[in-house]
Amino acid sequence: MYRTHTCGELSPDQIKQEIKLSGWVQKSRDLGGMTFIDLRDRFGITQLVFNMEVNAVLCEDARKLNREDVISIEGEVAERSNKNPRIPTGEIEIIVKSIQLLSKSKLPPFTIEDQTDGGDDLRMKYRYLDIRRNPVKNNLLLRHKMSAASREYLNSQGFVEIETPCLIKSTPEGARDFVVPSRMHPGEFYALPQSPQTFKQLLMIAGMDKYYQLVRCFRDEDLRADRQPEFTQIDCEMSFVTMEDILRTFEGLTSHLFSQVLGKTDISFERISYADAMKYYGTDKPDTRFDMRFVDLNQIVKDKGFKVFDQAELVVGINAKGCGAYSRKELDQLTDFVRRPQVGASGLVHVKCNEDGSYKSSVDKFYDQKELKLWAETLDADAGDLLLILAGETGKIRFALSELRLELADRLGLKDKSVYKPLWVTQFPLLEWDENSMRFHAKHHPFTSPMEEDIPLLKSDPSKVRANAYDLVINGVEIGGGSIRIHNKELQKQLFKVLGFTDDEAQKQFGFLMNAFEYGAPPHGGIAFGFDRWCALFGGSDSIRDFIAFPKNNAGKDVMIESPSVIAKEQLDELGLVLK
Amino acid sequence: MYRTHTCGELSPDQIKQEIKLSGWVQKSRDLGGMTFIDLRDRFGITQLVFNMEVNAVLCEDARKLNREDVISIEGEVAERSNKNPRIPTGEIEIIVKSIQLLSKSKLPPFTIEDQTDGGDDLRMKYRYLDIRRNPVKNNLLLRHKMSAASREYLNSQGFVEIETPCLIKSTPEGARDFVVPSRMHPGEFYALPQSPQTFKQLLMIAGMDKYYQLVRCFRDEDLRADRQPEFTQIDCEMSFVTMEDILRTFEGLTSHLFSQVLGKTDISFERISYADAMKYYGTDKPDTRFDMRFVDLNQIVKDKGFKVFDQAELVVGINAKGCGAYSRKELDQLTDFVRRPQVGASGLVHVKCNEDGSYKSSVDKFYDQKELKLWAETLDADAGDLLLILAGETGKIRFALSELRLELADRLGLKDKSVYKPLWVTQFPLLEWDENSMRFHAKHHPFTSPMEEDIPLLKSDPSKVRANAYDLVINGVEIGGGSIRIHNKELQKQLFKVLGFTDDEAQKQFGFLMNAFEYGAPPHGGIAFGFDRWCALFGGSDSIRDFIAFPKNNAGKDVMIESPSVIAKEQLDELGLVLK
């Protein structure tokens, strides 16, 4: 037996008890007559004491221990004279009677402390050491808590967790698949799932009624900071439901996670249509912790001789509350910000609402005080506020103003990490025109049902068709999305046609699903949550990588195990493959 | 809203209530004036009633419905005159007031009944219809219950579920890997994990202390009935533990599953060493629901002129209790059984213990009554029993007698499906000599630690080294296995050497793990359970395929989605691959 207790559980209740602990040497302090060692395990830290006068040999042994050595000790719990209220075991210490060295440690390549001196690459290579640090360890513990609480809620609601296959079939639609060559069928390949979409729909047709799965998904995309080639979804599907049933159910899940994981019980849910989200926030994932809504100024700014506004499809502004005193330099920074290529505006018009009731604008030449006052009123601005206005092509300008809004929120400290504002965005467009391929793509995926009243538009004006689709956005982060699905073969065929599939292609790729629709498919719908991202949100981080035990870097590499790597020629031969 | 209740929950408590149900038409019975429909969903069946006199139009509509049509109905709950005590809703029926047809069904290719007329291939192709049948549906529900109960127990014991990557690195050791070509690094490959073995060990080195994961694993092996290319493990690892700690912990898990899933609270655990298992049962996974232990007869049968016995390395028998009256034909069947190539014995010696105290044997020529009496006593046989004896090379004969023992248990009805006998098999050999490659292989895997007292044998006689390894066997089925791991780089290097790895190969393939050992590795060990197989055992089936929602067939194909399949040339080009 290596321990009677963990390093996180002893308290004054155990004083005088003989105990045994095992763990890592976090640090040691040699104070001449006394040596103190902080012994660490996953559960906490316990202080060990060695006294030169009581047992010089043992004390010498203790002094020889290095950081990260693994030891087992026996001793007696004693009250600490110098109590440490910041840790749970801070009221006791262990008077050690024997030490057993279980495992020596070389000097770690970076310090195992909350604030480490290790760079990103080094910490990835030695991820097993990085995980010893509290911030990373706590992220993994948070993730565990999230998955346990998710299952707890879904189980309580009658959902059944069903595992769907990982070795499935490649479909050209959507992102790029990872493929797996088949040895038994040379020249053929499995694909790793981008999501279990078709399987969960088949499970509904199979009558399973309420399905969920915490499931690994794969996408062979070029990577960004918040993308990983493999990621985890909370994937759900329900039968005999309307959108309303689904939103209510997953408001339940979300509330449960907020209360179980963050201890927050006062979460409420807002809803907004996609059209309104674009109109008022310029994005389909608005951060609604703060207001700063867009106001359309087209009606009041045109025909005053200012060409930029006159020629613009959209002139739109926001009110940066309390920024009326911004300096020239600050205003220039904002202009530079919107002109960055990744934001893409060509300029920024501002109006300062001065404390004396007057207005100072960058377009004073074209607009008099009365007109500027009308703008200020339209934007609900008071003295001391700053109006920021962009003009141009609607899509581009909404995007740029959305970026500016977020930038201002950062500057104004409006992104309060302790505040959570969940928002359902609904009525997404069903289709999206792709200029490259000159055809429509499904905005969510090709199984999303159009809104009943918009079905006739599928023939006349497909771009106007709204979908029974919804996203859950929290603080500007898209946490999940889903839809009511098509459950009718004819409608599904019609949609594939709009998406440019021939009947033959549709049958070849999704025939199994469309055939299934002919054997009594219930109305159904579902949702999938990006679990890594949800963990990151709850953990207060922007990067999902911090919440994955063994993530890959931006080049898709696991630098710890050195993967991907070359394989033996015999393996290639068996698979019937040749490298180009 | 599609329903107020499910088809499994209405009872006399709801009589007179207006309700709405949705589901599939299981069957309809037209009794002239009345029509009855059984409406089915995942939760049960509810009887719907239509009365020609009350509403002829509606009744006609109901008569037009086919099996597996999906409908939604509104109506009133009424007491049933003709109660059905076999189903939970058997006391009520619904007087239907309106029907909405949600989805038509073609005639299914097989009947959706507990006993179906569909063959295996057809049911696999239409798996979504097969799952509608109770036996398959209940298997998936059992699996869900098993996974939920497993997590419940492990969470309560302080285990943390941590997801390990699916895209890892190929290692030639062990079974064949599935590989995944990397597009970003042409010519390089990821591999899908055969198990998260190295990652869970790294998590212990990372200090996570108690890890588990219900995890998909992959093996590119030629398939048998109980093998699938992808399968699920309950994978666990613990730090600062002895074998005893691990066995106790997982006896806890096993007991929890027995009580939560099967309602069995009287489960006890036996232990046996590998050597004894082989000696007494001829297998390392003995079915201990029944006795019929092997008895070594070498000491008493030799040197009586019977060459077969004299030349045999081992003469070993079992007592088939109560089979003394077996006919010539039955005995011939047993002889034929042991002679089958997959059993491999060359003949079978029998001794009938007659009711009159005499013995009748197939080797009467060589052994007299007194000698046969000694055999009977040695095998603890009474009048009416049958001794069955095999002779030959130890390994082969033990295997054959083990098969015969199981065959007899089948004939004698000793495999009681309501009885469960968990057994730990311990002290496995660390190594196994492979005649093909003329070198040692790891019996479990190369990270298994040798028993302390056998470490010196690693140099002198490796085949004798016993491992700190254990399997959990229930009713002759290997449910799981694990070991205490090596946590010391030098010992690990020594073992790789015995396994025929050069230092360079060991470093190249497992360097990351061996390096990790140098930074303070705690003593650790773990276990992995074959989750599919455990579900099959609890579900009373021999085939894991029945417990997987979308399994592959013996050719590794998913015949429903037609996978694996060819992929586009552009995909191959992007991956830098050419088909041979």
Side-chain angles (χ1 to χ4, degrees):
Chain A
M1 196 194 49
Y2 285 99
R3 61 187 176 194
T4 55
H5 296 78
T6 70
C7 295
E9 70 178 306
L10 292 169
S11 72
D13 293 349
Q14 284 88 27
I15 282 170
K16 295 265 178 223
Q17 272 186 32
E18 297 287 328
I19 56 88
K20 187 166 181 178
L21 297 180
S22 291
W24 285 260
V25 173
Q26 174 71 29
K27 62 179 174 191
S28 74
R29 293 179 305 284
D30 181 1
L31 306 183
M34 307 277 280
T35 291
F36 296 93
I37 286 182
D38 281 352
L39 190 67
R40 184 195 74 229
D41 65 12
R42 183 184 113 203
F43 306 94
I45 280 182
T46 300
Q47 176 165 293
L48 312 179
V49 195
F50 303 84
N51 191 325
M52 205 64 191
E53 281 178 25
V54 177
N55 189 336
V57 175
L58 191 69
C59 198
E60 290 293 352
D61 283 348
R63 285 177 187 178
K64 285 183 205 134
L65 292 172
N66 295 320
R67 282 186 177 221
E68 303 306 315
D69 283 349
V70 181
I71 61 172
S72 192
I73 61 95
E74 292 185 90
E76 187 184 306
V77 183
E79 192 174 353
R80 205 148 140 181
S81 52
N82 194 2
K83 295 196 173 53
N84 180 351
R86 283 163 308 160
I87 64 171
T89 61
E91 292 184 61
I92 57 95
E93 61 191 8
I94 311 298
I95 309 205
V96 177
K97 296 182 175 167
S98 72
I99 310 180
Q100 191 193 353
L101 178 65
L102 297 174
S103 196
K104 283 297 292 175
S105 175
K106 294 203 297 192
L107 184 69
F110 49 86
T111 54
I112 311 297
E113 303 276 358
D114 292 5
Q115 298 294 332
T116 180
D117 57 356
D120 225 41
D121 291 350
L122 205 55
R123 289 190 291 113
M124 282 295 164
K125 185 165 160 58
Y126 296 90
R127 184 66 166 176
Y128 49 88
L129 298 180
D130 201 24
I131 294 173
R132 287 186 192 167
R133 299 190 311 113
N134 283 320
V136 185
K137 178 190 81 177
N138 289 336
N139 286 349
L140 297 183
L141 295 176
L142 175 95
R143 186 179 177 110
H144 169 67
K145 219 169 167 182
M146 297 273 294
S147 65
S150 300
R151 288 192 164 95
E152 182 179 71
Y153 174 81
L154 292 167
N155 292 350
S156 78
Q157 300 295 308
F159 282 82
V160 183
E161 186 161 24
I162 301 175
E163 295 176 61
T164 53
C166 265
L167 296 173
I168 64 165
K169 184 176 174 167
S170 188
T171 55
E173 185 71 359
R176 211 181 276 106
D177 286 322
F178 281 106
V179 296
V180 181
S182 164
R183 180 182 53 87
M184 294 172 84
H185 307 278
E188 298 189 348
F189 294 75
Y190 302 99
L192 300 179
Q194 296 184 28
S195 91
Q197 183 62 33
T198 50
F199 289 99
K200 67 176 175 173
Q201 292 193 239
L202 289 171
L203 286 170
M204 295 303 100
I205 296 170
M208 292 309 296
D209 209 282
K210 286 178 175 172
Y211 144 92
Y212 81 98
Q213 188 181 192
L214 270 77
V215 60
R216 195 69 55 82
C217 299
F218 304 85
R219 258 175 229 179
D220 187 10
E221 287 177 341
D222 297 317
L223 302 173
R224 300 196 306 249
D226 64 339
R227 287 270 172 88
Q228 285 277 315
E230 47 180 320
F231 55 97
T232 301
Q233 288 187 347
I234 306 180
D235 191 50
C236 307
E237 197 79 3
M238 306 170 77
S239 291
F240 302 116
V241 286
T242 60
M243 183 178 91
E244 192 58 36
D245 296 320
I246 293 185
L247 299 199
R248 292 277 175 224
T249 300
F250 293 99
E251 287 178 6
L253 171 65
T254 308
S255 297
H256 185 76
L257 288 179
F258 270 112
S259 81
Q260 296 299 301
V261 179
L262 296 183
K264 291 198 173 284
T265 53
D266 58 342
I267 296 299
S268 62
F269 295 80
E270 302 286 330
R271 295 190 192 178
I272 193 170
S273 71
Y274 173 85
D276 280 351
M278 296 309 290
K279 185 172 167 190
Y280 294 121
Y281 301 99
T283 171
D284 59 2
K285 37 179 190 279
D287 188 337
T288 49
R289 277 175 296 181
F290 47 94
D291 202 2
M292 229 191 295
R293 287 180 165 223
F294 292 10
V295 177
D296 183 335
L297 302 174
N298 269 9
Q299 300 304 317
I300 56 172
V301 300
K302 300 258 182 178
D303 304 324
K304 310 286 169 176
F306 184 44
K307 270 202 180 158
V308 173
F309 282 5
D310 287 351
Q311 291 169 357
E313 186 184 0
L314 177 67
V315 181
V316 60
I318 53 175
N319 173 9
K321 287 224 75 83
C323 299
Y326 263 24
S327 65
R328 178 80 258 157
K329 193 179 150 204
E330 284 169 308
L331 290 168
D332 285 349
Q333 282 172 349
L334 295 181
T335 304
D336 290 346
F337 177 83
V338 299
R339 279 184 172 155
R340 288 159 61 178
Q342 58 273 49
V343 177
S346 50
L348 176 66
V349 169
H350 72 261
V351 181
K352 288 181 167 188
C353 307
N354 295 326
E355 296 294 344
D356 64 3
S358 69
Y359 299 92
K360 178 81 195 88
S361 126
S362 51
V363 288
D364 282 346
K365 232 193 308 182
F366 302 101
Y367 300 94
D368 61 22
Q369 287 289 313
K370 198 175 141 209
E371 279 160 335
L372 295 179
K373 183 164 194 277
L374 178 60
W375 296 10
E377 282 168 6
T378 308
L379 274 153
D380 206 17
D382 301 312
D385 291 352
L386 174 69
L387 314 185
L388 295 167
I389 299 162
L390 293 178
E393 189 267 308
T394 304
K396 273 176 69 171
I397 285 311
R398 281 179 169 172
F399 172 77
L401 191 58
S402 168
E403 293 293 303
L404 179 60
R405 177 178 176 268
L406 295 175
E407 168 68 14
L408 279 164
D410 275 333
R411 287 174 175 248
L412 297 171
L414 299 178
K415 293 182 176 171
D416 183 344
K417 286 211 173 189
S418 70
V419 171
Y420 292 90
K421 292 285 187 190
L423 176 73
W424 289 110
V425 182
T426 63
Q427 299 176 29
F428 277 83
L430 183 68
L431 304 162
E432 185 161 64
W433 182 256
D434 181 57
E435 285 295 339
N436 289 326
S437 57
M438 290 295 282
R439 63 181 186 89
F440 284 109
H441 282 273
K443 175 102 181 159
H444 276 72
H445 52 60
F447 314 109
T448 303
S449 72
M451 285 173 70
E452 191 78 27
E453 59 263 47
D454 291 356
I455 292 183
L457 292 170
L458 269 177
K459 283 189 173 130
S460 55
D461 191 356
S463 68
K464 289 244 163 59
V465 178
R466 291 165 302 164
N468 282 314
Y470 33 81
D471 276 1
L472 179 61
V473 173
I474 304 180
N475 297 1
V477 179
E478 184 201 322
I479 290 298
S483 63
I484 299 295
R485 324 298 183 187
I486 296 168
H487 68 280
N488 169 306
K489 184 172 179 171
E490 289 314 311
L491 185 57
Q492 186 69 67
K493 271 173 90 168
Q494 195 185 344
L495 192 64
F496 278 129
K497 192 163 285 171
V498 175
L499 292 169
F501 283 71
T502 64
D503 275 5
D504 197 45
E505 283 167 348
Q507 188 61 33
K508 202 167 150 199
Q509 284 176 41
F510 300 108
F512 60 97
L513 182 62
M514 292 204 289
N515 291 346
F517 286 154
E518 300 202 288
Y519 293 99
H524 62 286
I527 195 164
F529 298 94
F531 185 59
D532 310 281
R533 201 170 293 173
W534 202 342
C535 290
L537 178 81
F538 271 29
S541 168
D542 293 328
S543 164
I544 66 171
R545 207 193 280 175
D546 299 342
F547 294 79
I548 295 173
F550 300 103
K552 297 192 175 42
N553 71 12
N554 281 350
K557 277 189 176 283
D558 182 328
V559 293
M560 181 185 72
I561 62 172
E562 289 173 14
S563 162
S565 59
V566 296
I567 60 174
K569 175 147 189 323
E570 297 76 49
Q571 278 177 288
L572 286 170
D573 286 345
E574 275 198 321
L575 298 169
L577 292 177
V578 179
L579 298 183
K580 224 187 234 171
Chain B
M1 197 193 47
Y2 285 99
R3 61 188 176 194
T4 55
H5 296 79
T6 70
C7 295
E9 71 178 306
L10 292 169
S11 72
D13 293 349
Q14 284 88 29
I15 281 170
K16 295 264 178 224
Q17 272 186 32
E18 297 286 330
I19 56 89
K20 186 166 182 178
L21 296 180
S22 291
W24 285 261
V25 173
Q26 174 71 29
K27 62 178 173 194
S28 73
R29 292 179 307 283
D30 181 1
L31 306 182
M34 308 277 279
T35 292
F36 296 93
I37 286 181
D38 282 354
L39 190 68
R40 184 195 75 229
D41 65 12
R42 182 185 114 204
F43 306 94
I45 279 181
T46 299
Q47 176 166 291
L48 313 179
V49 195
F50 302 85
N51 191 325
M52 205 63 190
E53 282 178 25
V54 176
N55 189 335
V57 175
L58 191 68
C59 197
E60 290 293 353
D61 283 349
R63 285 177 187 179
K64 285 183 205 133
L65 293 171
N66 295 319
R67 282 187 176 219
E68 302 307 316
D69 284 348
V70 182
I71 61 172
S72 192
I73 61 97
E74 291 184 270
E76 188 184 304
V77 183
E79 193 174 355
R80 206 149 138 178
S81 51
N82 192 3
K83 293 196 172 54
N84 180 351
R86 282 163 309 160
I87 64 171
T89 61
E91 293 184 59
I92 57 95
E93 62 191 8
I94 312 298
I95 308 201
V96 177
K97 296 184 175 166
S98 71
I99 310 180
Q100 191 193 352
L101 179 64
L102 297 174
S103 195
K104 283 296 294 173
S105 176
K106 294 202 297 192
L107 184 70
F110 50 85
T111 54
I112 311 297
E113 304 275 0
D114 292 6
Q115 298 295 331
T116 180
D117 56 355
D120 225 40
D121 290 350
L122 205 55
R123 289 190 292 112
M124 281 295 163
K125 185 168 158 61
Y126 296 92
R127 185 65 166 176
Y128 48 89
L129 298 180
D130 202 25
I131 294 174
R132 288 188 191 165
R133 301 190 310 112
N134 283 319
V136 185
K137 178 191 79 177
N138 289 336
N139 287 349
L140 297 183
L141 294 177
L142 175 95
R143 187 179 176 111
H144 169 67
K145 219 168 167 182
M146 297 274 293
S147 66
S150 300
R151 288 192 164 96
E152 181 179 71
Y153 175 82
L154 292 167
N155 292 349
S156 78
Q157 300 295 307
F159 282 81
V160 183
E161 186 162 24
I162 301 175
E163 295 176 61
T164 53
C166 265
L167 296 172
I168 64 164
K169 185 177 174 166
S170 188
T171 55
E173 184 71 1
R176 212 182 275 108
D177 285 323
F178 282 106
V179 296
V180 181
S182 164
R183 179 182 55 87
M184 294 171 84
H185 306 279
E188 298 189 348
F189 294 76
Y190 302 99
L192 301 179
Q194 296 184 29
S195 90
Q197 183 63 35
T198 50
F199 289 98
K200 68 177 176 172
Q201 292 193 238
L202 289 171
L203 286 170
M204 295 303 101
I205 296 169
M208 292 309 296
D209 209 280
K210 286 178 175 171
Y211 144 94
Y212 81 98
Q213 188 181 193
L214 269 77
V215 59
R216 196 69 55 82
C217 300
F218 305 84
R219 258 175 228 177
D220 187 10
E221 286 176 343
D222 297 316
L223 303 173
R224 300 195 306 247
D226 63 340
R227 286 273 174 87
Q228 284 278 317
E230 46 180 320
F231 55 97
T232 302
Q233 286 187 349
I234 306 180
D235 191 51
C236 306
E237 197 78 4
M238 306 171 77
S239 289
F240 302 116
V241 287
T242 60
M243 183 177 90
E244 193 59 34
D245 297 320
I246 293 186
L247 300 198
R248 292 279 175 223
T249 300
F250 293 98
E251 287 177 5
L253 171 65
T254 308
S255 297
H256 185 76
L257 288 179
F258 269 112
S259 80
Q260 296 299 302
V261 179
L262 297 182
K264 290 194 173 287
T265 53
D266 58 342
I267 295 299
S268 63
F269 295 80
E270 303 286 330
R271 296 190 192 178
I272 193 171
S273 71
Y274 172 86
D276 280 352
M278 297 309 290
K279 184 172 169 190
Y280 295 120
Y281 301 99
T283 172
D284 59 3
K285 35 179 190 276
D287 189 337
T288 49
R289 279 174 294 183
F290 48 94
D291 203 1
M292 229 191 294
R293 285 181 166 221
F294 292 11
V295 176
D296 183 335
L297 302 173
N298 270 8
Q299 300 303 316
I300 57 172
V301 301
K302 300 260 181 176
D303 303 325
K304 309 289 169 176
F306 182 44
K307 271 202 181 156
V308 173
F309 282 7
D310 287 352
Q311 291 169 355
E313 186 184 359
L314 177 66
V315 181
V316 60
I318 52 175
N319 173 9
K321 287 225 74 82
C323 299
Y326 263 25
S327 65
R328 178 81 258 156
K329 193 180 151 203
E330 285 170 307
L331 291 168
D332 285 349
Q333 283 171 349
L334 294 181
T335 304
D336 290 346
F337 176 85
V338 299
R339 280 184 171 152
R340 289 159 58 178
Q342 59 272 49
V343 178
S346 49
L348 176 66
V349 169
H350 71 261
V351 181
K352 287 180 167 188
C353 306
N354 296 325
E355 296 295 345
D356 64 2
S358 70
Y359 300 92
K360 177 80 196 95
S361 127
S362 50
V363 289
D364 283 348
K365 234 197 299 185
F366 303 101
Y367 300 94
D368 61 21
Q369 288 289 311
K370 199 177 140 209
E371 280 160 334
L372 295 178
K373 182 163 195 279
L374 177 62
W375 296 11
E377 284 167 7
T378 308
L379 273 153
D380 206 16
D382 301 313
D385 291 350
L386 173 71
L387 314 184
L388 295 167
I389 299 161
L390 293 177
E393 188 268 308
T394 303
K396 273 176 69 170
I397 284 311
R398 280 179 170 172
F399 171 78
L401 191 59
S402 169
E403 294 293 302
L404 179 61
R405 177 178 174 268
L406 294 174
E407 168 69 14
L408 280 163
D410 275 332
R411 287 174 176 248
L412 297 171
L414 298 179
K415 293 182 176 170
D416 183 343
K417 287 213 171 185
S418 70
V419 171
Y420 292 91
K421 292 286 188 191
L423 176 73
W424 289 109
V425 182
T426 64
Q427 298 176 30
F428 277 83
L430 183 68
L431 304 162
E432 189 160 60
W433 182 256
D434 181 58
E435 286 295 340
N436 290 326
S437 56
M438 291 295 282
R439 62 181 186 89
F440 283 109
H441 282 272
K443 174 104 182 156
H444 275 72
H445 53 61
F447 314 109
T448 303
S449 71
M451 285 174 68
E452 191 77 27
E453 60 262 48
D454 290 358
I455 291 182
L457 293 170
L458 269 177
K459 284 192 171 127
S460 56
D461 190 355
S463 68
K464 288 245 163 61
V465 177
R466 291 165 303 163
N468 281 314
Y470 32 82
D471 277 0
L472 179 61
V473 173
I474 304 180
N475 296 2
V477 179
E478 185 201 321
I479 290 298
S483 62
I484 299 295
R485 324 298 182 188
I486 295 169
H487 67 280
N488 169 304
K489 184 173 179 172
E490 289 314 311
L491 185 56
Q492 186 69 65
K493 272 173 90 167
Q494 195 185 345
L495 192 63
F496 278 129
K497 193 163 285 172
V498 176
L499 292 169
F501 284 71
T502 64
D503 275 5
D504 197 45
E505 283 166 349
Q507 187 60 35
K508 202 169 151 198
Q509 284 175 41
F510 299 109
F512 59 97
L513 182 62
M514 292 204 290
N515 291 346
F517 286 154
E518 298 200 290
Y519 293 100
H524 62 287
I527 194 164
F529 297 95
F531 185 60
D532 310 282
R533 201 170 292 172
W534 202 341
C535 290
L537 178 81
F538 272 28
S541 167
D542 293 328
S543 165
I544 65 171
R545 209 193 279 176
D546 300 342
F547 294 80
I548 295 173
F550 300 102
K552 297 193 174 45
N553 70 12
N554 280 351
K557 276 188 176 284
D558 183 327
V559 294
M560 181 183 72
I561 62 171
E562 290 173 13
S563 162
S565 59
V566 295
I567 60 173
K569 171 137 191 333
E570 296 76 50
Q571 278 177 288
L572 287 170
D573 286 346
E574 276 197 320
L575 298 170
L577 292 177
V578 177
L579 298 182
K580 223 189 237 172

